[in-house]
C-alpha cells in the first residue's frame, strides 16, 4: 500500500461522515440484494401461474419491488458521489 | 438514614486516617484516582457501544464457547468486568440474549478480569508507571474536549488509563513509605481463620469500592511492599472475587427476571469458586508454584504468583461449573420466578435497559410490539372476532363468518386498562432513555413513539367504527350488511397480513412488502367509494345510511393505514443501519401510483361483493 492510499484510508477512518456514508452504502446494498432475489422468485412464480387473480397480484408486487429497487439504486448512486469528488480532490 | 450514617462514619474514619498518617492519605488518594480512572474508562467504552460491541454480543449467543470467549476478550480489553456484566444484564433484560449465553459471558468475564492482575504485577510494578500516566492524561483531556463522539470516547479511555496508572503509582508510593515506618504484616493471621478473615476483608473492600480491580491492585501493591503476607494476599484475592458480584446484583435490581437470575448465577459461581479455592488452598498453591516455575517466575516473586493464583482459581471455577450450567439455569429458573403480571404491565421497560442506547431502543420496540398485541386483541374483539382465529391458518371467510353484535365488550375500558397506561409508560421510558444518544438513535426513538401513537389512533378509529358495525352487521338490508361485512373482512385480512410480515421481520423484502399492502388498501378504499356512489345512484341505500357507510369506511381505512405505518417501523428485527436502509427505499403514495398505474383488482377486494 502506497503512502497516498494509506493517508486516504486513515482520513476515511477518522472522518465520521465518511464512515457513516460507507455504512449506509453497505446496508443499502444488502437490502437491494435481498429485493433482487425476491423479484426473481416473484417472476418465476408469475411464469408458473395461470390463475388471473394471482397473476394480477403478482404483477403489482413485481412492479412495486422493481420501483423500490430503482429507488434504492438511485440512492446508492447518490451515496457514491462524495467519494468520487474526494478522490478527485 | 442508614446510608447517611454509614457515609458519615466512613468520612470521619478517613479524615482521622488522613490526619494521623500522610502515607494512608497517599494510598487512599491512589485508590480514589484509580476508581476515577475506571469511571473514565467505562465512559470511554460507552461511546463505542453504538454498534461494534452490540453486534459482537448479538453474535455470541448461539454457542457457549463464543459467550465465554466474548466474556474473556471484552473484559481483557476493557479491564472492567463490571462494565461487561452491566452490558450483559442490559442485553438480557432487553431480550437480546439468552440466560445461558449471559451466564457464559459472566463466566468468561471472571477469567478475563484476571489479566488485570498480570498487567499490574508484570508491568505496573516493574516500570515507572507515572511517567506514562502524565502524557496520557494530557492527550486524553485534549481529546475529551473534541466534538466527535468517537474522539471524545478515545479521550476518556486514554485519560482513564492515565488515571489508573497514576492511582497505582500513588498506592505503590504509599505502601513503600509505610515499609520504613509501620509493618502491617504484624496483623497477619495464619491458617484457616486467617484465610476466612482476609477473604472477608477482600469481600468488604470490593463491595465498598465496587471494583475487584481496585482491591486487587491494592493487594498487589501492598504485597510488593511486603506489607501483607503472600497467604493473606491469596485470601484477599478470593474475597475480592466474591465481592465483585455486588455490581451485577445492583445492576439486576432494576432488571427483569432474567437479569436477576444472571446476578444469581454470578454470585453462585464466585461463591462456589471462592469456597473451593479456600478448601483446596494447599493444592492450589502447589499448582501455582509448579505453573510459576514452568513460566520462569522467580520463587520469591509473590506478586506475579498472585496473578497466577488468580487466573488458576478462576479457571478452576469455570472447569467445575461449566458441566453444571444446565442444572444451574434450571434451578435459577425454579428459584427466581417472574412476578405475576397483567397484559397492561410493561415487560421490557427496565432501568437496566437504559444503560445502553441500543438496548433502550430494543426495549421500546419490544414494548411497543406488546402494545400492538394488546391493541390488536381489542380491535379484533371490537369487530366481534377472536384474534386467535384471525391469526390461525383458517380461511379468512370462515373466520369472519360469525354473528356480530353479540356479547358485551367495553372498548373504552379495554383501552384504559390495556393500552393507555402501557403507552404512557413507553413515552415516559423514552424521555428517560434519551441521554447519550446519537441523533440517529433519537430519530429511532421518535419513530417508535410515533408507531405507538398510530396504534392508539387505530383503536380510537375502531371505537368509532364499532358503533355502526355491530348495528349494521345484523341489518335486514342485505346490501348494507354486505358492505359492513366487507369492511370487517378487510380489517381481519390486514391483521393477518401484518402478523405474517411480523413473523418474517428479519427479511427486508417482507418488511418492504408492506408497501404492497398499503397500495391494496388504497385500492380497496377507492373501490369502496366507487361502489358507494353506484349504490346512491341506484338508490339502493338511504341518505343517512350512506353517510354512515362513508364515515365508517373512512375510519376503517385509517385503522389499516395506521397499523401498516406502525408495522413498517416496528416489525423489522434488523440492525439500526439495515432498518434505515429499508425505510429509505420504501415508496410514498405518488411513487406507488407511478409504479402501479391503476392497481389490478386483488383477492382482498374481489371476494366480498355485497350479498
Amino acid at each position: 500500500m502506497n503512502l497516498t492510499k494509506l493517508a486516504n484510508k486513515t482520513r476515511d477512518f477518522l472522518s465520521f461522515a465518511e464512515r457513516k456514508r460507507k455504512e449506509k452504502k453497505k446496508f443499502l446494498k444488502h437490502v437491494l440484494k435481498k429485493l433482487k432475489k425476491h423479484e426473481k422468485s416473484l417472476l418465476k412464480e408469475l411464469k408458473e401461474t395461470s390463475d388471473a387473480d394471482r397473476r394480477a397480484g403478482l404483477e403489482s408486487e413485481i412492479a412495486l419491488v422493481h420501483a423500490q429497487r430503482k429507488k434504492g439504486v438511485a440512492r446508492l448512486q447518490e451515496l457514491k458521489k462524495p467519494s468520487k469528488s474526494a478522490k478527485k480532490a | 438514614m442508614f446510608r447517611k450514617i454509614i457515609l458519615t462514619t466512613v468520612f470521619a474514619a478517613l479524615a482521622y486516617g488522613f490526619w494521623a498518617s500522610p502515607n494512608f492519605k497517599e494510598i487512599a488518594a491512589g485508590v480514589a484516582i484509580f476508581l476515577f480512572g475506571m469511571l473514565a474508562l467505562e465512559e470511554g467504552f460507552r461511546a463505542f457501544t453504538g454498534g461494534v460491541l452490540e453486534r459482537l454480543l448479538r453474535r455470541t449467543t448461539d454457542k457457549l464457547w463464543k459467550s465465554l470467549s466474548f466474556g474473556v476478550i471484552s473484559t481483557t480489553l476493557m479491564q472492567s468486568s463490571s462494565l461487561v456484566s452491566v452490558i450483559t444484564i442490559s442485553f438480557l433484560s432487553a431480550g437480546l440474549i439468552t440466560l445461558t449465553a449471559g451466564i457464559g459471558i459472566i463466566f468468561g468475564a471472571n477469567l478475563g478480569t484476571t489479566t488485570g492482575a498480570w498487567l499490574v504485577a508484570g508491568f505496573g510494578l516493574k516500570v515507572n508507571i507515572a511517567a506514562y500516566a502524565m502524557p496520557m492524561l494530557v492527550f486524553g483531556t485534549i481529546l475529551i474536549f473534541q466534538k466527535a463522539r468517537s474522539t471524545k470516547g478515545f479521550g476518556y479511555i486514554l485519560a482513564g488509563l492515565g488515571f489508573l496508572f497514576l492511582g497505582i503509582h500513588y498506592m505503590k508510593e504509599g505502601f513503600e513509605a509505610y515499609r520504613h515506618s509501620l509493618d502491617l504484616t504484624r496483623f497477619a493471621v495464619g491458617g484457616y481463620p486467617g484465610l476466612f478473615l482476609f477473604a472477608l476483608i477482600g469481600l468488604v473492600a470490593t463491595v465498598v469500592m465496587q471494583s475487584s480491580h481496585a482491591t486487587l491492585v491494592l493487594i498487589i501493591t501492598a504485597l510488593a511492599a511486603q506489607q501483607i503476607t503472600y497467604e493473606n494476599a491469596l485470601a484477599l484475592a478470593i474475597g475480592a472475587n466474591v465481592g465483585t458480584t455486588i455490581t451485577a446484583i445492583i445492576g439486576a435490581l432494576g432488571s427483569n427476571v432474567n437479569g436477576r437470575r444472571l446476578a444469581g448465577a454470578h454470585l453462585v459461581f464466585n461463591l462456589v469458586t471462592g469456597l473451593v479455592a479456600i478448601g483446596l488452598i494447599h493444592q492450589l498453591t502447589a499448582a501455582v508454584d509448579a505453573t510459576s516455575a514452568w513460566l520462569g517466575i522467580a520463587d520469591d516473586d509473590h506478586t506475579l504468583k498472585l496473578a497466577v493464583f488468580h487466573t488458576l482459581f478462576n479457571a478452576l471455577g469455570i472447569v467445575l461449573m461449566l458441566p453444571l450450567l444446565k442444572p444451574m439455569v434450571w434451578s435459577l429458573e425454579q428459584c427466581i420466578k417472574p412476578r405475576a403480571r397483567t397484559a397492561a404491565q410493561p415487560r421490557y421497560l427496565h432501568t437496566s435497559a437504559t444503560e445502553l442506547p441500543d438496548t433502550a431502543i430494543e426495549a421500546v420496540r419490544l414494548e411497543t410490539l406488546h402494545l400492538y398485541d394488546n391493541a390488536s386483541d381489542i380491535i379484533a374483539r371490537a369487530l366481534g372476532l377472536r384474534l386467535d382465529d384471525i391469526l390461525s391458518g383458517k380461511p379468512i371467510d370462515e373466520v369472519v363468518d360469525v354473528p356480530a353484535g353479540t356479547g358485551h365488550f367495553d372498548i373504552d375500558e379495554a383501552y384504559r386498562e390495556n393500552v393507555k397506561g402501557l403507552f404512557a409508560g413507553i413515552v415516559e421510558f423514552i424521555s428517560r432513555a434519551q441521554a447519550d444518544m446519537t441523533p440517529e438513535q433519537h430519530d429511532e426513538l421518535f419513530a417508535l413513539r410515533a408507531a405507538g401513537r398510530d396504534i392508539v389512533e387505530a383503536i380510537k378509529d375502531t371505537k368509532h367504527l364499532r358503533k355502526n358495525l355491530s348495528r349494521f352487521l345484523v341489518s335486514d338490508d342485505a346490501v348494507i350488511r354486505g358492505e359492513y361485512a366487507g369492511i370487517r373482512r378487510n380489517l381481519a385480512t390486514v391483521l393477518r397480513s401484518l402478523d405474517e410480515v411480523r413473523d418474517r421481520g428479519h427479511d427486508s423484502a417482507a418488511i418492504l412488502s408492506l408497501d404492497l399492502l398499503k397500495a391494496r388498501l388504497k385500492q380497496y378504499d377507492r373501490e369502496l367509494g366507487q361502489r358507494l356512489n353506484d349504490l346512491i345512484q341506484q338508490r339502493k341505500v338511504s341518505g343517512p345510511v350512506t353517510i354512515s357507510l362513508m364515515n365508517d369506511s373512512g375510519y376503517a381505512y385509517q385503522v389499516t393505514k395506521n397499523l401498516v405505518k406502525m408495522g413498517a417501523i416496528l416489525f423489522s428485527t434488523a440492525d439500526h443501519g439495515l432498518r434505515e436502509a429499508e425505510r429509505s427505499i420504501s415508496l410514498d403514495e405518488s411513487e406507488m401510483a407511478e409504479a402501479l398505474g391503476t392497481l389490478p383488482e386483488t383477492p382482498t377486494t374481489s371476494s366480498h361483493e355485497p350479498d
Side-chain angles (χ1 to χ4, degrees):
Chain A
M1 193 186 292
N2 64 31
L3 207 62
T4 330
K5 231 177 180 179
L6 188 71
N8 280 339
K9 275 203 179 286
T10 316
R11 186 202 56 210
D12 287 358
F13 179 75
L14 290 175
S15 158
F16 176 74
E18 186 60 22
R19 259 205 334 265
K20 204 81 203 147
R21 192 179 62 80
K22 283 195 171 158
E23 218 176 78
K24 277 186 180 173
K25 258 171 60 181
K26 190 182 87 180
F27 286 126
L28 199 54
K29 275 184 184 171
H30 180 83
V31 175
L32 285 173
K33 217 167 132 183
K34 286 227 163 183
L35 279 182
K36 194 176 178 178
K37 209 173 143 191
H38 184 52
E39 192 182 345
K40 269 189 183 171
S41 74
L42 290 173
L43 283 166
K44 196 176 161 219
E45 198 183 335
L46 183 69
K47 262 187 192 171
E48 293 161 0
T49 310
S50 53
D51 178 69
D53 274 353
R54 181 69 194 135
R55 281 188 72 84
L58 280 170
E59 272 162 7
S60 345
E61 197 170 351
I62 291 166
L64 280 183
V65 173
H66 195 76
Q68 286 166 340
R69 280 186 56 212
K70 218 166 124 184
K71 190 175 176 182
V73 169
R75 181 110 188 79
L76 200 62
Q77 294 300 325
E78 269 173 39
L79 286 170
K80 278 180 181 169
K81 274 177 196 166
S83 134
K84 278 180 188 168
S85 60
K87 269 180 189 171
K88 276 176 195 167
Chain B
M1 188 64 192
F2 179 70
R3 288 181 79 137
K4 276 183 188 164
I5 293 170
I6 292 277
L7 195 66
T8 318
T9 316
V10 170
F11 266 46
L14 283 172
Y16 174 74
F18 297 157
W19 174 73
S21 161
N23 298 332
F24 175 71
K25 195 161 63 186
E26 206 164 355
I27 296 168
V31 175
I33 294 169
F34 186 90
L35 287 173
F36 190 75
M38 292 290 286
L39 290 178
L41 209 59
E42 289 186 6
E43 182 71 33
F45 281 112
R46 272 175 204 277
F48 293 100
T49 53
V52 184
L53 202 59
E54 283 85 343
R55 273 201 289 276
L56 269 174
L57 198 44
R58 276 174 203 240
R59 284 170 198 165
T60 54
T61 55
D62 52 345
K63 298 258 178 356
L64 186 63
W65 69 266
K66 283 190 190 172
S67 316
L68 267 174
S69 315
F70 179 84
V72 175
I73 295 167
S74 58
T75 313
T76 304
L77 288 176
M78 297 196 282
Q79 285 300 302
S80 168
S81 61
S82 308
L83 184 61
V84 174
S85 50
V86 165
I87 290 174
T88 309
I89 289 173
S90 178
F91 262 68
L92 197 61
S93 67
L96 289 168
I97 56 171
T98 62
L99 180 61
T100 313
I103 294 176
I105 295 170
I106 294 292
F107 281 11
N110 265 294
L111 193 60
T113 196
T114 65
T115 53
W118 284 95
L119 284 175
V120 178
F123 170 72
L125 298 178
K126 304 253 168 12
V127 293
N128 181 13
I129 202 163
Y132 294 94
M134 304 302 173
M136 279 181 172
L137 285 172
V138 176
F139 291 131
T141 310
I142 293 172
L143 290 176
I144 287 171
F145 284 111
Q146 302 306 304
K147 272 186 185 166
R149 190 181 157 93
S150 52
T151 321
K152 209 182 247 252
F154 190 62
Y156 272 114
I157 292 174
L158 211 57
L161 283 172
F163 279 125
L164 290 189
F165 286 5
L166 200 65
I168 294 171
H169 169 78
Y170 277 116
M171 284 188 240
K172 205 164 75 176
E173 293 284 301
F175 278 118
E176 282 294 325
Y178 258 138
R179 198 177 196 167
H180 309 292
S181 56
L182 179 72
D183 183 12
L184 287 173
T185 47
R186 281 184 299 146
F187 303 107
V189 183
Y192 274 100
L195 264 175
F196 280 106
L197 176 68
F198 276 82
L200 190 68
I201 294 172
L203 190 151
V204 172
T206 310
V207 168
V208 171
M209 293 191 283
Q210 284 190 34
S211 166
S212 63
H213 231 63
T215 314
L216 215 67
V217 173
L218 208 57
I219 299 166
I220 292 171
T221 44
L223 184 65
Q226 291 162 14
Q227 289 289 344
I228 49 172
T229 63
Y230 173 57
E231 288 73 24
N232 289 162
L234 300 186
L236 281 166
I238 294 170
N241 224 48
V242 180
T244 195
T245 53
I246 190 73
T247 325
I249 292 169
I250 291 172
L253 290 179
S255 171
N256 66 356
V257 65
N258 273 334
R260 294 201 300 276
R261 284 170 181 160
L262 184 73
H266 197 6
L267 183 66
V268 168
F269 175 85
N270 290 34
L271 210 56
V272 169
T273 310
L275 287 173
V276 169
I278 290 176
L280 300 175
I281 193 78
H282 300 300
Q283 289 83 345
L284 267 172
T285 40
V288 169
D289 287 342
T291 315
S292 302
W294 182 68
L295 288 171
I297 296 168
D299 202 39
D300 58 348
D301 194 344
H302 287 144
T303 51
L304 268 178
K305 278 171 79 173
L306 178 69
V308 175
F309 172 77
H310 200 213
T311 306
L312 269 187
F313 93 82
N314 270 295
L316 176 71
I318 291 178
V319 172
L320 284 176
M321 300 298 284
L322 265 190
L324 302 172
L325 192 65
K326 272 188 186 164
M328 190 183 191
V329 170
W330 182 83
S331 28
L332 282 166
E333 281 169 352
Q334 296 306 309
C335 294
I336 307 173
K337 298 254 189 208
R339 295 180 188 115
R341 61 188 175 201
T342 62
Q345 281 175 327
R347 290 177 187 172
Y348 306 93
L349 307 180
H350 305 287
T351 313
S352 61
T354 56
E355 291 286 346
L356 297 169
D358 273 9
T359 49
I361 290 171
E362 187 59 12
V364 172
R365 193 184 76 83
L366 292 172
E367 202 61 69
T368 316
L369 275 173
H370 173 210
L371 182 78
Y372 169 64
D373 287 334
N374 290 357
S376 47
D377 183 56
I378 292 174
I379 293 171
R381 288 169 72 187
L383 297 175
L385 303 171
R386 288 186 63 234
L387 187 64
D388 288 346
D389 289 340
I390 294 175
L391 305 184
S392 70
K394 277 188 208 168
I396 206 80
D397 286 318
E398 204 178 297
V399 173
V400 296
D401 188 24
V402 287
T406 53
H408 173 74
F409 175 61
D410 187 343
I411 190 167
D412 281 324
E413 195 188 331
Y415 168 74
R416 270 195 310 275
E417 278 184 1
N418 293 339
V419 172
K420 200 176 177 186
L422 189 58
F423 186 45
I426 294 171
V427 172
E428 195 263 330
F429 182 85
I430 288 175
S431 66
R432 268 195 295 136
Q434 281 173 25
D436 295 331
M437 282 199 175
T438 62
E440 288 86 1
Q441 287 165 333
H442 268 278
D443 290 347
E444 188 67 27
L445 273 188
F446 288 138
L448 289 169
R449 197 173 63 183
R453 208 182 49 216
D454 289 336
I455 294 170
V456 170
E457 289 294 321
I459 296 179
K460 290 193 169 170
D461 286 324
T462 308
K463 182 188 152 189
H464 295 308
L465 171 68
R466 179 178 153 80
K467 285 176 199 158
N468 288 327
L469 189 87
S470 44
R471 186 151 64 99
F472 288 121
L473 274 175
V474 288
S475 165
D476 293 335
D477 187 333
V479 175
I480 297 299
R481 202 174 59 233
E483 287 303 338
Y484 274 95
I487 289 175
R488 180 161 84 150
R489 184 188 188 281
N490 189 49
L491 281 164
T493 311
V494 170
L495 285 177
R496 180 177 280 189
S497 304
L498 284 172
D499 193 58
E500 283 162 7
V501 174
R502 181 179 172 176
D503 281 347
R504 291 167 56 215
H506 58 279
D507 183 1
S508 298
I511 297 296
L512 284 162
S513 75
L514 287 172
D515 279 355
L516 181 70
L517 191 57
K518 257 190 278 179
R520 283 182 178 166
L521 292 172
K522 182 95 189 151
Q523 172 74 359
Y524 173 81
D525 189 53
R526 219 171 16 228
E527 283 174 358
L528 185 61
Q530 186 58 50
R531 225 167 30 239
L532 266 176
N533 260 346
D534 295 345
L535 290 174
I536 295 165
Q537 277 174 7
Q538 293 160 18
R539 297 181 185 277
K540 285 190 177 171
V541 287
S542 66
V545 173
T546 314
I547 299 295
S548 295
L549 198 50
M550 272 166 65
N551 285 341
D552 292 333
S553 67
Y555 289 136
Y557 181 56
Q558 282 306 321
V559 172
T560 52
K561 202 174 159 185
N562 278 324
L563 290 182
V564 174
K565 208 161 93 189
M566 168 280 315
I569 292 166
L570 278 192
F571 292 165
S572 178
T573 55
D575 282 351
H576 172 70
L578 211 56
R579 282 205 295 264
E580 222 177 48
E582 285 165 2
R583 283 175 209 164
S584 75
I585 58 172
S586 169
L587 305 175
D588 60 30
E589 281 196 13
S590 62
E591 287 166 333
M592 275 193 287
E594 195 187 326
L596 295 172
T598 310
L599 262 176
E601 207 170 338
T602 60
T604 313
T605 57
S606 62
S607 53
H608 56 82
E609 287 303 311
D611 295 339

